[in-house]
Amino acid sequence: MTAKSDRDIRGDVRAEIREFISTRRDRISPEQAGLPVYGGARRRVPGLRREEVALLAGISTEYYTRLERGNAIGVSDSVIDGIAHALQLDEAERTHLLDLLRTAATTRPPRRRPTGQRVRPTIQRILDSMSGTPALVLNGRLDILAANALGSALYSPAYAIAAEPPNNARFVFLDPQATDFFPAWDTVANDTVALLRAEVGRDPYDRQTSDLIGELSTRSDEFRTRWAAHNVRIHTTGVKLLHHPVVGDLELPFESFPLPSDPSQSLLTYTAEPGSPSQDALNLLASWSASTAAVEQHTSTGGPQPAPSDQDT
């Protein structure tokens, strides 16, 4: 496969704008937008027409149509705000639309910034100091770049994949263990795709992210269907349900913190309610992780071997 040119990528972004906005239009009925309904059963679109969005946004139909087709040169913040209001976009969707419009309006491609792959030693020390909290660093395409011991233990099924670094999206869609590991797999799958869709909007020139999307689209019907929905979201806090193969079920609130000095990287941490079964499971997981590490260290340093049994002599 040959690399796409900058012109091809900008063409893809214009198509993304068209498809993203049309899927947002389709989900809103005139009644939901506070508009009178004309045409009844003769309406040919499930949601809002272009002229209805333009009316709600306070711009001409011609201008809105050009913008929806990706002609975004000179678009103002007030126009974007009007369209976001008309389409009832949330914060993640508005940010995604702004990212797409900015790229489409750029006559010269931005200087490529590689998605961060290295974690600074300071960040690794912070991870290691969080001994009772599973913690990981991920980049925008969901590569797991670093983790502390408890974070590695928590996501041990993902680390079993041969790819380096392990990638959470590959694990979710390509590893059969994922449906057991994530009891709410559908929700996790939707969130994973929405995060990747937002990342592509932020940086459509990242080749490795494009390759990942292509791989998942080719190998997973579940991914391909969700990708076509053009959903995006900001995923910074919530509760994750996990079924770990060693310690069983966990219900873990999580927080994700961006690392401003490392573009696209974020610090993901999990905690458990004090005194809860999930806290007991985390404590057990920490013990299991420590004992496993001790055995591996003993083996790697050539420690004393078990005495031979009678059957060996």
Side-chain angles (χ1 to χ4, degrees):
M1 180 185 297
T2 58
K4 285 189 174 184
S5 68
D6 295 331
R7 184 187 299 271
D8 290 337
I9 292 172
R10 286 197 294 274
D12 289 347
V13 171
R14 287 191 288 270
E16 287 280 333
I17 294 172
R18 181 175 63 252
E19 293 167 10
F20 176 68
I21 293 181
S22 65
T23 57
R24 302 312 97 174
R25 283 199 292 114
D26 288 348
R27 70 182 182 179
I28 302 174
S29 67
E31 295 92 339
Q32 290 172 316
L35 294 175
V37 181
Y38 301 108
R42 296 194 303 274
R43 289 182 65 90
R44 293 181 295 175
V45 294
L48 294 176
R49 295 168 171 155
R50 288 193 179 97
E51 59 267 25
E52 291 169 333
V53 177
L55 174 65
L56 291 167
I59 58 179
S60 71
T61 301
E62 292 75 15
Y63 182 69
Y64 171 78
T65 300
R66 290 200 306 272
L67 191 148
E68 185 174 308
R69 290 173 177 169
N71 186 355
I73 296 177
V75 62
S76 67
D77 289 344
S78 62
V79 168
I80 294 173
D81 288 340
I83 293 172
H85 174 74
L87 297 176
Q88 301 178 18
L89 303 184
D90 62 22
E91 180 184 355
E93 291 170 328
R94 185 190 183 282
T95 300
H96 182 61
L97 177 60
L98 190 60
D99 288 336
L100 294 174
L101 291 173
R102 184 182 298 114
T103 301
T106 303
T107 56
R108 302 177 66 182
R111 189 173 67 179
R112 288 176 173 81
R113 55 172 182 82
T115 300
Q117 286 283 4
R118 293 187 177 182
V119 172
R120 289 182 290 120
T122 302
I123 300 300
Q124 184 64 61
R125 289 197 294 271
I126 291 172
L127 289 173
D128 294 337
S129 71
M130 303 167 70
S131 58
T133 299
L136 310 93
V137 172
L138 293 84
N139 61 17
R141 61 173 167 266
L142 306 182
D143 292 331
I144 302 175
L145 303 179
N148 61 8
L150 195 50
S152 297
L154 184 64
Y155 271 80
S156 55
Y159 277 91
I161 298 178
E164 183 64 34
N167 179 272
N168 201 40
R170 279 196 188 92
F171 176 62
V172 169
F173 287 101
L174 302 182
D175 194 310
Q177 295 183 83
T179 52
D180 292 328
F181 186 68
F182 297 112
W185 185 87
D186 282 330
T187 298
V188 171
N190 291 336
D191 290 345
T192 299
V193 173
L195 288 168
L196 285 177
R197 176 64 79 177
E199 177 64 14
V200 170
R202 281 190 293 270
D203 188 5
Y205 293 94
D206 186 90
R207 175 65 184 277
Q208 289 179 287
T209 303
S210 298
D211 288 347
L212 174 64
I213 301 304
E215 176 189 357
L216 295 174
S217 298
T218 301
R219 300 178 60 186
S220 171
D221 292 338
E222 294 280 5
F223 178 87
R224 188 164 55 250
T225 299
R226 287 169 170 80
W227 188 253
H230 287 266
N231 292 326
V232 296
R233 69 166 299 180
I234 297 172
H235 197 53
T236 57
T237 187
V239 176
K240 189 66 65 68
L241 303 178
L242 304 174
H243 179 79
H244 195 276
V246 174
V247 301
D249 294 331
L250 300 106
E251 182 176 343
L252 301 176
F254 68 86
E255 299 287 339
S256 180
F257 306 94
L259 300 177
S261 298
D262 302 285
S264 90
Q265 292 184 11
S266 59
L267 171 63
L268 176 62
T269 64
Y270 291 94
T271 58
E273 293 295 331
S276 67
S278 293
Q279 182 63 66
D280 294 338
L282 271 187
N283 294 339
L284 179 60
L285 184 63
S287 298
W288 173 79
S289 174
S291 62
T292 301
V295 170
E296 292 176 350
Q297 176 69 18
H298 184 79
T299 302
S300 65
T301 55
Q305 301 300 310
S309 67
D310 293 339
Q311 292 179 345
D312 296 327
T313 58

